[in-house]
Amino acid sequence: MKIAVPKEIKNHEYRVALTPTGARELVARGHAVAVQAGAGEGAGFADGDYQAAGATLNADVEALWRDAELILKVKEPQPEEVARLTRGQTLFTYLHLAAEETLTRGLMQSGATCIAYETITDRQGGLPLLAPMSTVAGRMAVQAGAHSLEKAQGGAGVLLPGVPGVAPARVAVIGGGVVGENAARMALGLGAEVTVLDKSIPRLEVLDDRYQGRMKTVFSTADAIDEAVRESDLIVGAVLIPGAAAPKLITRAMLAEMKPGSVLVDVAIDQGGCFETSRPTTHAEPTYIVDGIVHYCVANMPGAVARTSTQALTNATMPFVIALADKGWKRALAEDPHFLAGLNVHDGQVAYAAVAEAFDLSCADPASLIG
Ligand SMILES: NC(=O)C1=CN([C@@H]2O[C@H](COP(=O)(O)OP(=O)(O)OC[C@H]3O[C@@H](n4cnc5c(N)ncnc54)[C@H](O)[C@@H]3O)[C@@H](O)[C@H]2O)C=CC1
Ligand SMILES: CC(=O)C(=O)O
Ligand SMILES: [Mg+2]
């Protein structure tokens, strides 16, 4: 199969969808891998490393896309990339479509088959291609929050661990999944007082057991969120309803209840964000202030630690990439219902219910598309 790996073009996105190690595996299986010149640079992989792995380099981005059967990316395609996609091609990347109507319609118009990393499932009920980046983003969320609490960033001037004689900061994490657990773990490690809110009792049980009561676990209700809003110095938004737009759990009116200079880190921003006042920001300008509250809403947080993230992401994507390349999308998805859950758009139709619902579109039955 002809496989293309373009250089990512989103703001400060330094990850790449395939490492030279991955390229070598695909080439060994008889596939032709074309990598855009410079694609791996930001993650520390030189063009020569890809050539040594048997990939070809292509500096002509239009030709790279045109000649490909399978396109591997990290972030959702930007408008100029959507324009390059054509019917018959398969795109494998993060898509987050429920937050992006224009992108959804653009992908439908392209006629291409678009498979999203973030909706692929596993036997344990997890999201195996979202989890590695959620681990990174969860860990980064507390770094970003701690920095945002500094006065120079508009924060209240609070140090997360406090010092002897001065109480530590209070951190609330809404959503105790992969992002939430990793954020809570970092905040605990820094000495903050940590509360995790989740709607899933089994998930709260896991956290309670794993951390032996060192973090408070609270069932997520409107009252519990009100309390977190009043008491926290830093709130991390980490909820997810797979594939769907995030619920707005903190409204603008609630910001008035927060301590001035408190910080909201909305990791769920890639699904539209879970705070009413969230809007996507970039690593170039990660924060803004609304009603005295600092907001950090970077939609591609792991891109900033591209070396770690690229390795973690490609470790997880590689078996799926190999299946797509060896079998073609239809057979690869037909043989694995968890992989089939990644199908979001095919030949002009949305094939993921939560995305169709978000935009009032009809939804094709994915099983009927692979028959
Ligand atoms: N901004 C960025 O760079 C990145 C963003 N993300 C995003 O972070 C979000 C969280 O991802 P994961 O932790 O992997 O998901 P997950 O599925 O592991 O965890 C989500 C948790 O939210 C809980 N939840 C759902 N509704 C809730 C509510 N109303 N109140 C409290 N909890 C609620 C669920 O029970 C679940 O435990 C996703 O939107 C994901 O796309 C992930 C990686 C990078
Ligand atoms: C999950 C995601 O959107 C990211 O890693 O950028
Ligand atoms: Mg995004």
Side-chain angles (χ1 to χ4, degrees):
M1 185 170 287
K2 290 181 195 164
I3 303 167
V5 183
K7 185 175 167 68
E8 294 296 315
I9 57 174
K10 195 172 170 125
N11 183 286
H12 285 274
E13 181 52 72
Y14 301 104
R15 285 170 289 180
V16 61
L18 189 72
T19 58
T21 305
R24 182 176 165 184
E25 298 245 355
L26 291 168
V27 170
R29 304 173 92 88
H31 303 296
V33 178
V35 177
Q36 188 176 343
E41 234 166 52
F45 300 114
D47 285 349
D49 299 337
Y50 287 99
Q51 284 173 308
T56 56
L57 286 182
N58 196 339
D60 179 348
V61 63
E62 300 293 341
L64 180 90
W65 281 74
R66 193 180 52 236
D67 296 343
E69 295 168 281
L70 170 62
I71 297 149
L72 303 177
K73 271 184 53 59
V74 178
K75 287 311 289 181
E76 67 278 359
Q78 306 299 297
E80 67 203 81
E81 295 178 316
V82 176
R84 291 186 191 118
L85 259 183
T86 55
R87 187 176 305 274
Q89 291 184 317
T90 300
L91 172 69
F92 191 36
T93 189
Y94 286 118
L95 289 173
H96 303 294
L97 293 184
E100 290 278 358
E101 182 163 5
T102 309
L103 175 59
T104 304
R105 292 190 185 275
L107 294 182
M108 290 168 73
Q109 227 166 20
S110 75
T113 301
C114 306
I115 306 169
Y117 293 159
E118 74 275 5
T119 60
I120 292 172
T121 52
D122 65 20
R123 274 194 209 127
Q124 293 74 42
L127 302 167
L129 300 200
L130 184 60
M133 295 304 93
S134 291
T135 303
V136 172
R139 292 179 182 197
M140 285 180 74
V142 171
Q143 287 180 195
H147 183 61
S148 301
L149 275 166
E150 293 175 11
K151 285 302 283 184
Q153 312 306 318
V158 167
L159 183 67
L160 279 188
V163 291
V166 180
R170 288 184 174 156
V171 177
V173 179
I174 310 180
V178 181
V179 168
E181 178 176 1
N182 281 282
R185 186 178 144 176
M186 288 290 279
L188 265 190
L190 281 173
E193 200 182 300
V194 182
T195 302
V196 180
L197 296 85
D198 202 296
K199 277 209 162 312
S200 158
I201 298 280
R203 188 62 197 157
L204 293 176
E205 280 169 356
V206 166
L207 294 176
D208 182 65
D209 188 46
R210 218 170 258 171
Y211 296 91
Q212 296 289 300
R214 282 183 294 131
M215 55 177 83
K216 271 195 263 175
T217 58
V218 173
F219 185 66
S220 182
T221 59
D223 272 350
I225 291 174
D226 278 346
E227 189 175 332
V229 160
R230 280 195 304 273
E231 294 192 347
S232 305
D233 301 285
L234 165 62
I235 300 184
V236 177
V239 302
L240 176 66
I241 298 162
K248 303 290 179 212
L249 301 174
I250 297 183
T251 62
R252 180 159 189 172
M254 290 161 79
L255 299 189
E257 303 294 316
M258 294 186 77
K259 292 181 264 184
S262 300
V263 173
L264 295 177
V265 174
D266 198 345
V267 185
I269 190 65
D270 56 358
Q271 294 291 145
C274 60
F275 311 134
E276 188 188 4
T277 43
S278 297
R279 59 172 167 79
T281 59
T282 63
H283 286 292
E285 267 185 79
T287 60
Y288 60 95
I289 297 177
V290 178
D291 300 342
I293 305 302
V294 185
H295 291 57
Y296 175 102
C297 306
V298 176
N300 59 332
M301 295 172 70
V305 288
R307 179 85 182 172
T308 302
S309 298
T310 293
Q311 288 170 326
L313 179 61
T314 57
N315 285 345
T317 55
M318 209 50 215
F320 295 91
V321 170
I322 288 174
L324 282 177
D326 285 357
K327 302 174 184 175
W329 74 270
K330 252 189 196 179
R331 187 153 73 86
L333 269 53
E335 289 179 1
D336 180 354
H338 295 291
F339 201 175
L340 182 58
L343 187 62
N344 274 234
V345 174
H346 169 67
D347 199 9
Q349 291 174 286
V350 171
Y352 196 87
V355 174
E357 266 163 41
F359 309 123
D360 247 340
L361 294 164
S362 62
C363 186
D365 173 9
S368 73
L369 301 176
I370 50 172

